[in-house]
Amino acid sequence: IVLTQSPGTLSLSPGERATLSCRASHSLSDSYLAWYQQKPGQAPRLLIFGASNRATGIPDRFSGSESGTDFTLTISRLEPEDFAVYYCQQYGHSPLTFGGGTKLEIK
Amino acid sequence: QVQLQESGPGLVKPSGTLSLTCAVSGASITDNNWWLWVRQSPEKGLEWIGEIYHSGSTNYNPSLKSRLTMLLDKSKNEFSLRLTSVTAADTAMYYCARLTGGLPDYWGQGTLVTVSS
Protein backbone atom coordinates (compact mmCIF):
# COMPACT_ATOMS: atom_id res chain seq x y z
CA ILE A 1 0.00 0.00 0.00
CA VAL A 2 1.40 3.37 -1.04
CA LEU A 3 0.96 6.29 1.33
CA THR A 4 1.14 9.81 -0.11
CA GLN A 5 1.69 12.66 2.30
CA SER A 6 0.97 16.32 1.63
CA PRO A 7 2.20 18.94 1.71
CA GLY A 8 5.89 18.11 1.51
CA THR A 9 6.70 21.15 3.61
CA LEU A 10 4.42 23.21 5.83
CA SER A 11 5.56 26.60 7.12
CA LEU A 12 3.66 27.86 10.14
CA SER A 13 4.18 29.93 13.27
CA PRO A 14 3.91 28.80 16.89
CA GLY A 15 0.32 28.99 18.07
CA GLU A 16 -1.09 28.21 14.63
CA ARG A 17 -3.01 25.07 13.66
CA ALA A 18 -1.31 22.45 11.51
CA THR A 19 -3.14 20.02 9.25
CA LEU A 20 -1.13 17.21 7.67
CA SER A 21 -2.58 14.74 5.17
CA CYS A 22 -1.90 11.14 4.25
CA ARG A 23 -3.69 9.31 1.45
CA ALA A 24 -3.59 5.52 1.12
CA SER A 25 -3.64 3.81 -2.27
CA HIS A 26 -6.05 1.17 -0.94
CA SER A 27 -8.43 0.84 1.96
CA LEU A 28 -6.71 0.06 5.27
CA SER A 29 -8.11 -2.74 7.38
CA ASP A 30 -9.32 -1.65 10.82
CA SER A 31 -7.87 1.86 10.48
CA TYR A 32 -4.34 0.55 10.97
CA LEU A 33 -2.70 3.91 10.36
CA ALA A 34 -0.11 5.51 12.63
CA TRP A 35 1.60 8.90 12.77
CA TYR A 36 5.17 9.47 13.89
CA GLN A 37 7.20 12.54 14.69
CA GLN A 38 10.90 12.57 13.91
CA LYS A 39 13.44 15.17 14.97
CA PRO A 40 17.02 15.34 13.63
CA GLY A 41 19.21 12.59 15.01
CA GLN A 42 16.30 10.83 16.68
CA ALA A 43 14.20 7.77 15.98
CA PRO A 44 10.58 8.17 14.97
CA ARG A 45 8.27 8.75 17.93
CA LEU A 46 4.80 7.20 17.89
CA LEU A 47 2.08 9.85 18.19
CA ILE A 48 -1.13 8.27 16.92
CA PHE A 49 -2.20 4.68 16.23
CA GLY A 50 -5.43 3.23 14.91
CA ALA A 51 -5.87 6.50 12.98
CA SER A 52 -7.13 8.47 16.00
CA ASN A 53 -5.70 7.07 19.25
CA ARG A 54 -3.00 9.04 21.00
CA ALA A 55 -0.02 7.06 22.21
CA THR A 56 1.00 7.21 25.85
CA GLY A 57 2.27 10.63 26.91
CA ILE A 58 1.26 12.45 23.72
CA PRO A 59 -0.32 15.88 24.37
CA ASP A 60 -3.96 16.32 23.45
CA ARG A 61 -3.11 19.05 20.94
CA PHE A 62 -2.29 16.13 18.61
CA SER A 63 -5.28 14.42 17.03
CA GLY A 64 -5.87 12.07 14.13
CA SER A 65 -8.86 11.43 11.93
CA GLU A 66 -9.82 9.47 8.85
CA SER A 67 -12.25 9.65 5.98
CA GLY A 68 -12.09 6.60 3.74
CA THR A 69 -8.51 6.37 2.51
CA ASP A 70 -7.67 9.91 3.63
CA PHE A 71 -6.05 10.42 7.01
CA THR A 72 -5.30 13.67 8.82
CA LEU A 73 -3.00 14.63 11.66
CA THR A 74 -3.98 17.91 13.32
CA ILE A 75 -1.88 19.87 15.79
CA SER A 76 -4.27 22.35 17.32
CA ARG A 77 -1.77 24.97 18.55
CA LEU A 78 1.84 24.57 17.54
CA GLU A 79 4.47 24.61 20.24
CA PRO A 80 8.14 25.28 19.37
CA GLU A 81 9.00 21.61 19.99
CA ASP A 82 6.45 20.45 17.39
CA PHE A 83 8.56 21.57 14.43
CA ALA A 84 9.83 18.31 12.97
CA VAL A 85 9.15 15.79 10.22
CA TYR A 86 5.94 13.75 10.43
CA TYR A 87 5.37 10.37 8.84
CA CYS A 88 2.27 8.28 8.41
CA GLN A 89 2.58 4.50 8.37
CA GLN A 90 0.13 1.67 7.70
CA TYR A 91 0.42 -1.61 9.53
CA GLY A 92 -2.71 -3.41 8.36
CA HIS A 93 -1.19 -4.95 5.28
CA SER A 94 2.16 -6.64 4.93
CA PRO A 95 4.63 -5.18 4.34
CA LEU A 96 4.13 -2.16 6.55
CA THR A 97 4.82 1.01 4.59
CA PHE A 98 5.56 4.64 5.35
CA GLY A 99 4.65 7.89 3.68
CA GLY A 100 7.33 10.21 2.39
CA GLY A 101 6.93 12.66 5.25
CA THR A 102 5.84 16.25 5.83
CA LYS A 103 8.39 18.70 7.15
CA LEU A 104 6.80 21.17 9.55
CA GLU A 105 9.01 24.23 9.71
CA ILE A 106 8.88 27.54 11.51
CA LYS A 107 7.66 30.39 9.35
CA GLN B 1 10.31 0.57 30.14
CA VAL B 2 11.05 -1.23 26.89
CA GLN B 3 14.34 -0.20 25.33
CA LEU B 4 16.11 -1.30 22.19
CA GLN B 5 19.70 -0.56 21.22
CA GLU B 6 21.33 -1.22 17.87
CA SER B 7 25.02 -1.98 17.56
CA GLY B 8 27.43 -2.89 14.81
CA PRO B 9 30.13 -1.51 12.51
CA GLY B 10 29.47 1.95 11.15
CA LEU B 11 31.51 1.33 8.01
CA VAL B 12 31.27 -1.65 5.66
CA LYS B 13 33.18 -2.18 2.43
CA PRO B 14 31.32 -2.69 -0.84
CA SER B 15 30.56 -6.39 -1.46
CA GLY B 16 31.02 -7.01 2.25
CA THR B 17 28.50 -8.08 4.90
CA LEU B 18 26.54 -5.74 7.13
CA SER B 19 25.85 -7.24 10.56
CA LEU B 20 23.80 -5.50 13.24
CA THR B 21 22.46 -6.54 16.61
CA CYS B 22 19.50 -5.18 18.54
CA ALA B 23 19.64 -5.61 22.31
CA VAL B 24 16.26 -5.59 24.03
CA SER B 25 15.63 -4.66 27.66
CA GLY B 26 12.37 -4.33 29.57
CA ALA B 27 10.79 -7.05 27.43
CA SER B 28 11.60 -10.55 26.28
CA ILE B 29 12.09 -11.43 22.63
CA THR B 30 10.15 -14.60 23.46
CA ASP B 31 7.05 -12.49 24.16
CA ASN B 32 4.17 -12.56 21.67
CA ASN B 33 5.71 -9.87 19.46
CA TRP B 34 7.44 -9.58 16.14
CA TRP B 35 10.74 -7.73 16.03
CA LEU B 36 11.42 -5.36 13.18
CA TRP B 37 14.27 -3.83 11.17
CA VAL B 38 13.71 -0.60 9.25
CA ARG B 39 16.22 1.62 7.48
CA GLN B 40 16.11 5.25 6.46
CA SER B 41 17.98 7.07 3.76
CA PRO B 42 17.43 10.39 1.96
CA GLU B 43 16.90 8.49 -1.29
CA LYS B 44 14.36 5.90 -0.15
CA GLY B 45 12.92 7.36 3.04
CA LEU B 46 11.78 4.83 5.64
CA GLU B 47 12.03 1.31 4.25
CA TRP B 48 10.83 -1.94 5.81
CA ILE B 49 13.65 -4.52 5.86
CA GLY B 50 11.93 -7.40 7.61
CA GLU B 51 10.73 -8.88 10.86
CA ILE B 52 11.26 -11.96 13.01
CA TYR B 53 9.01 -13.75 15.50
CA HIS B 54 10.11 -15.49 18.68
CA SER B 55 9.60 -18.83 16.92
CA GLY B 56 12.18 -17.79 14.36
CA SER B 57 9.63 -17.19 11.60
CA THR B 58 10.62 -14.33 9.35
CA ASN B 59 9.17 -11.97 6.77
CA TYR B 60 11.67 -10.26 4.48
CA ASN B 61 11.47 -7.40 2.02
CA PRO B 62 11.42 -9.17 -1.37
CA SER B 63 13.98 -6.73 -2.76
CA LEU B 64 16.46 -7.75 -0.04
CA LYS B 65 15.46 -11.37 0.56
CA SER B 66 18.30 -13.01 -1.36
CA ARG B 67 20.88 -11.13 0.75
CA LEU B 68 19.15 -11.02 4.12
CA THR B 69 19.17 -13.17 7.25
CA MET B 70 17.55 -12.38 10.60
CA LEU B 71 18.22 -14.39 13.71
CA LEU B 72 17.30 -14.46 17.39
CA ASP B 73 19.61 -15.02 20.36
CA LYS B 74 17.26 -15.86 23.21
CA SER B 75 20.10 -16.28 25.72
CA LYS B 76 21.13 -12.65 25.18
CA ASN B 77 17.63 -11.28 24.49
CA GLU B 78 18.88 -9.94 21.17
CA PHE B 79 18.00 -10.23 17.52
CA SER B 80 20.23 -9.60 14.56
CA LEU B 81 20.36 -8.67 10.91
CA ARG B 82 22.87 -9.81 8.33
CA LEU B 83 22.92 -8.31 4.84
CA THR B 84 25.44 -9.63 2.32
CA SER B 85 26.92 -8.18 -0.86
CA VAL B 86 26.29 -4.60 0.21
CA THR B 87 26.55 -1.60 -2.09
CA ALA B 88 26.38 2.14 -1.58
CA ALA B 89 22.59 1.81 -1.88
CA ASP B 90 22.60 0.05 1.49
CA THR B 91 24.02 3.13 3.22
CA ALA B 92 21.35 4.22 5.70
CA MET B 93 20.35 4.67 9.30
CA TYR B 94 19.21 1.28 10.57
CA TYR B 95 16.55 1.01 13.26
CA CYS B 96 15.21 -1.95 15.20
CA ALA B 97 11.75 -1.86 16.76
CA ARG B 98 9.17 -3.97 18.52
CA LEU B 99 5.91 -4.73 16.77
CA THR B 100 2.74 -4.98 18.84
CA GLY B 101 -0.29 -5.96 16.79
CA GLY B 102 1.76 -5.03 13.74
CA LEU B 103 2.48 -1.54 15.08
CA PRO B 104 6.10 -0.46 15.76
CA ASP B 105 5.65 0.89 19.29
CA TYR B 106 9.22 0.98 20.64
CA TRP B 107 12.24 1.93 18.56
CA GLY B 108 15.96 1.92 19.04
CA GLN B 109 17.90 5.13 18.52
CA GLY B 110 19.31 3.87 15.25
CA THR B 111 22.79 3.23 13.94
CA LEU B 112 24.30 4.74 10.83
CA VAL B 113 25.90 2.31 8.41
CA THR B 114 27.99 3.63 5.56
CA VAL B 115 29.08 1.41 2.69
CA SER B 116 32.35 2.73 1.33
CA SER B 117 35.84 1.58 0.50
Side-chain angles (χ1 to χ4, degrees), chain A:
Chain A
I1 293 184
V2 177
L3 299 177
T4 303
Q5 291 189 243
S6 61
T9 302
L10 186 58
S11 299
L12 293 170
S13 300
E16 290 193 293
R17 180 185 187 90
T19 302
L20 288 68
S21 296
C22 175
R23 173 167 289 177
S25 60
H26 297 82
S27 177
L28 300 185
S29 56
D30 295 326
S31 303
Y32 284 163
L33 191 284
W35 289 94
Y36 294 86
Q37 177 193 70
Q38 188 177 35
K39 296 180 179 180
Q42 297 184 16
R45 174 195 181 197
L46 179 63
L47 299 175
I48 300 286
F49 64 95
S52 60
N53 302 287
R54 275 188 300 276
T56 303
I58 301 304
D60 60 7
R61 65 179 181 272
F62 291 91
S63 63
S65 63
E66 68 173 300
S67 176
T69 57
D70 291 328
F71 297 84
T72 301
L73 175 69
T74 301
I75 311 172
S76 59
R77 280 187 319 279
L78 285 166
E79 298 286 343
E81 62 267 28
D82 298 336
F83 291 91
V85 180
Y86 291 83
Y87 295 95
C88 59
Q89 179 244 323
Q90 68 81 21
Y91 53 101
H93 298 265
S94 182
L96 58 82
T97 50
F98 296 86
T102 291
K103 182 180 181 181
L104 180 56
E105 64 177 25
I106 298 176
K107 188 174 183 179

Side-chain angles (χ1 to χ4, degrees), chain B residues 28-82:
Chain B
S28 172
I29 61 170
T30 61
D31 290 342
N32 189 27
N33 296 97
W34 287 78
W35 302 91
L36 172 72
W37 288 99
V38 168
R39 67 184 183 181
Q40 185 175 29
S41 64
E43 297 78 22
K44 294 184 179 180
L46 286 158
E47 180 184 22
W48 174 74
I49 298 174
E51 56 206 36
I52 186 165
Y53 195 48
H54 67 75
S55 63
S57 297
T58 54
N59 294 313
Y60 293 159
N61 186 323
S63 69
L64 301 172
K65 189 172 184 177
S66 63
R67 303 189 289 129
L68 183 61
T69 304
M70 290 185 181
L71 295 172
L72 297 170
D73 187 333
K74 296 179 182 179
S75 66
K76 294 183 178 179
N77 211 37
E78 297 176 344
F79 60 105
S80 63
L81 170 155
R82 184 171 176 268

Side-chain angles (χ1 to χ4, degrees), chain B residues 80-98:
Chain B
S80 63
L81 170 155
R82 184 171 176 268
L83 187 66
T84 61
S85 305
V86 297
T87 69
D90 295 308
T91 293
M93 183 72 79
Y94 285 74
Y95 295 99
C96 59
R98 185 182 79 168

